[in-house]
Structure formats: structure tokens, C-alpha cells
Amino acid sequence: MFHVKGCGVSSDRTAGRLRGYQAWVNRAGRFRSPGDGQVDFNAIFSKLTQYDFPGWAVLEWECCIKSSEQGAAEGAPFIQRHIIQAAGSTFDDFAVRARINWRIGGC
């Protein structure tokens, strides 16, 4: 299972490493709704497809800013938009087939 969860990290270095003892909304590193943080989901879903990941993409919502209702309503379509269906063949398969046919024909 792949848990789809966003995160954001502030570059403010004056409050310590991730501000672990402050309220979540004030921490330098915090979870966000998918798409609201700094995670490159296009790259992640591309790699999952490239390696034929057999599992599920599941929304894991832990945002301290957005309501859970809004997070759920936006999260499911967000995941659906990012799922990549693997191609059944490469884009240049026609050229490979043409080259084989040309060789078989005796040319």
C-alpha cells in the first residue's frame, strides 16, 4: 500500500530543527493534504507505474490546516488524477515490427 500524504517544510532555521514542541500549524515540517505541500506526486506515481507497483494508493490525511471533510473530498480525485495506466507497448513498436518484416522479406 502507498500512503498518499503531502508535507511541507519551511526554510525558517530560527526555531530549531522542525520546531517539534510547537503546535502543528507552527512547525517547520508538517503534514499537508495531497497537493498542498511540496511532494512531487507526478514523479512518485511515474515510478510506481515504472516498477509495476501492485498495491493500492490510499489517502492518508493529517493536515493541521484543512478540514478532514475537504481533505477527503479533494484527496480521492487527486489520487485518481495521478494514477498512471501502464502502456501495453512502447511508442516505437511499429518501427521494430517494420524493421523485422523488412529483414524477413529478404531485403
Side-chain angles (χ1 to χ4, degrees), residues 1-6 41 53 56-60 62 79:
M1 204 178 311
F2 164 54
H3 289 224
V4 182
K5 173 171 44 176
F41 285 104
F53 177 70
W56 295 12
V58 178
L59 175 64
E60 184 172 344
E62 295 184 27
I79 292 170

Side-chain angles (χ1 to χ4, degrees), residues 2 5-6 11 13-14 19-20 22 24-25 29-30 33 39 42 51 59 63 66 72 76 79 82 88 92 100 107:
F2 164 54
K5 173 171 44 176
S11 61
R13 298 172 194 266
T14 63
R19 299 183 202 149
Q22 295 194 27
W24 276 105
V25 74
R30 62 180 181 218
S33 288
V39 177
N42 290 326
Y51 295 116
L59 175 64
C63 186
K66 189 178 286 186
I79 292 170
H82 282 83
D92 62 350
I100 291 171
C107 298

Side-chain angles (χ1 to χ4, degrees), residues 17-68:
R17 185 176 185 222
L18 302 186
R19 299 183 202 149
Y21 296 106
Q22 295 194 27
W24 276 105
V25 74
N26 295 326
R27 292 184 186 188
R30 62 180 181 218
F31 299 120
R32 302 294 311 272
S33 288
D36 290 350
Q38 299 163 322
V39 177
D40 185 355
F41 285 104
N42 290 326
I44 291 170
F45 277 88
S46 291
K47 286 295 181 188
L48 292 173
T49 303
Q50 177 183 347
Y51 295 116
D52 198 25
F53 177 70
W56 295 12
V58 178
L59 175 64
E60 184 172 344
W61 181 89
E62 295 184 27
C63 186
C64 62
I65 297 173
K66 189 178 286 186
S67 75
S68 58

Side-chain angles (χ1 to χ4, degrees), residues 87-100:
S89 62
T90 60
F91 70 93
D92 62 350
D93 272 357
F94 72 92
V96 172
R97 284 192 306 272
R99 194 172 27 230
I100 291 171

